[in-house]
Amino acid sequence: MSTMEPLILVHGGAGRLRYDGKRRAARQAALDQIAQTGYEMLKHGNSALDTVVEVVRLLEDNPLFNAGYGAALGLTGEVEMDAAVMTDEGRFGAVAAIKNVKNPVLVARKVMEETDHILLVGEGAIKFARIMGFGEFDPVTDERRKMFSEQRVDYFRRNWEKFRHLYGGDTVGAVAIDCHGKVAVAASTGGIMFHLPGRVGDTPLIGCGIYASSLGACAATGHGECIAINMVAKTVVDMLSETNPQTAADKVISKLKLKNCNCGVIVVSRDGDYGVAYNTPYMGWTVMPKLRDSVLKD
Ligand code: ASP
């Protein structure tokens, strides 16, 4: 029996606007279409958990985003991906630095449902994925390979402080509230371009890139190390006990510790309200149903 108007909020990463208008429009169209799919799922009574995982899986399959197929290459030219999922009952599963799988978010869900653990990394995560039936998949697209060779590694390394903020973005995440008032969150990323092998970003760290509780759910995107240090997702969700999602999102983004802390968040509260905030020039996001005007800054 439906008691609640469902809602889904999806992001496609916070970062710089380094794409032309055409590509940016294509990414926004993909976000809108996938959010619509998620909304239909919720309308048909699917759980928030099933919906956010499916939405993130669809985004992973879309090479326009830095997750799954089309994920960013690390310093060695390999793709290492992070993904996580969490429900409002405190169930959590994640994978970090996983390679050669198509959908890290599905493996993260398996960690949550099939193990007593919350996070598997590297080789262990890959082995677990194979046992769970996930086949070998090369997530490197020609475009990412081209970006990698064009933006010469030496040059990048010499200019790390200056340029690192350019290489976030395009990560994906979704938060949803279903007809039964349950909330869930999922996220997936290839991490920051040129990251060191073995690097783990914020996404698979509970309370950092994602968090959910009986108050609501939040997904963060941007500079992972900074997001983790600020425990962004948990901080936003905890604030929902005393304020609305937009205020919570705005406050956390405005009080980030560390310089150059590029960050964006999407958040849904248990009562069906939502918030979106980011301090980058751009963050692709969409909400269904469209409750109020876009808060896009550009
Ligand atoms: N937060 C991700 C990471 O640092 C990247 C992103 O959101 O674009 O791994």
Side-chain angles (χ1 to χ4, degrees):
M1 189 70 186
S2 298
T3 52
M4 186 94 199
E5 172 65 16
L7 180 136
I8 182 144
L9 186 52
V10 181
H11 78 72
R16 296 219 151 229
L17 254 185
R18 60 179 185 277
Y19 297 130
D20 58 24
K22 212 165 140 197
R23 180 168 169 125
R24 185 176 153 189
R27 292 172 76 241
Q28 189 61 47
L31 280 177
D32 290 346
Q33 195 193 345
I34 290 170
Q36 180 68 40
T37 302
Y39 185 55
E40 297 296 332
M41 283 181 70
L42 292 167
K43 282 285 210 194
H44 284 95
N46 288 283
S47 70
L49 173 63
D50 285 345
T51 304
V52 291
V53 169
E54 176 61 5
V55 160
V56 169
R57 185 192 70 79
L58 291 168
L59 291 163
E60 285 178 337
D61 286 350
N62 188 321
L64 290 174
F65 298 99
N66 174 15
Y69 183 53
L73 276 59
L75 192 62
T76 57
E78 280 193 299
V79 169
E80 292 177 316
M81 299 166 286
D82 296 342
V85 55
M86 187 166 185
T87 73
D88 52 13
E89 294 139 350
R91 297 165 72 217
F92 180 90
V95 288
I98 193 170
K99 297 180 200 170
N100 297 318
V101 293
K102 188 164 186 241
N103 294 110
V105 74
L106 299 183
V107 188
R109 183 173 184 169
K110 289 283 185 199
V111 172
M112 180 175 87
E113 290 178 339
E114 305 292 336
T115 79
D116 295 330
H117 310 308
I118 57 167
L119 171 62
L120 293 178
V121 306
E123 288 305 318
I126 298 168
K127 207 174 224 177
F128 173 74
R130 300 288 177 254
I131 292 166
M132 289 292 123
F134 296 96
E136 185 119 6
F137 181 81
D138 180 6
V140 179
T141 57
D142 290 346
E143 185 177 9
R144 290 284 182 191
R145 178 72 65 203
K146 192 163 163 270
M147 275 170 83
F148 181 80
S149 36
E150 278 172 6
Q151 296 162 8
R152 294 200 330 254
V153 175
D154 284 350
Y155 177 76
F156 178 81
R157 286 169 80 182
R158 269 187 273 122
N159 292 284
W160 172 252
E161 280 309 314
K162 198 166 152 199
F163 290 106
R164 66 179 184 183
H165 62 285
L166 297 176
Y167 295 93
D170 317 345
T171 281
V172 301
V175 292
I177 180 159
D178 64 28
C179 296
H180 308 287
K182 306 288 292 172
V183 300
V185 51
S188 183
T189 182
I192 295 178
M193 204 168 171
F194 299 122
H195 63 76
L196 292 174
R199 179 241 187 203
V200 173
D202 58 301
T203 302
L205 302 180
I206 190 165
C208 299
I210 74 168
Y211 194 70
S213 78
S214 57
L215 294 169
C218 174
T221 173
H223 186 239
E225 284 70 9
C226 172
I227 292 169
I229 285 165
N230 286 278
M231 300 200 75
V232 166
K234 179 160 167 46
T235 308
V236 170
V237 171
D238 285 352
M239 283 175 69
L240 297 177
S241 64
E242 57 208 38
T243 190
N244 64 66
Q246 189 58 52
T247 306
D250 285 336
K251 274 197 179 156
V252 171
I253 292 287
S254 68
K255 289 194 177 138
L256 292 169
K257 296 184 203 100
L258 289 190
K259 275 196 297 177
N260 298 326
C261 193
N262 294 327
C263 182
V265 294
I266 56 173
V267 50
V268 63
S269 61
R270 196 60 182 267
D271 57 6
D273 195 6
Y274 74 94
V276 179
Y278 50 99
N279 62 11
T280 49
Y282 170 73
M283 181 172 89
W285 66 277
T286 194
V287 63
M288 286 294 303
K290 306 246 179 244
L291 300 178
R292 58 185 159 91
D293 287 344
S294 157
V295 296
L296 275 175
K297 287 181 195 167
D298 47 323

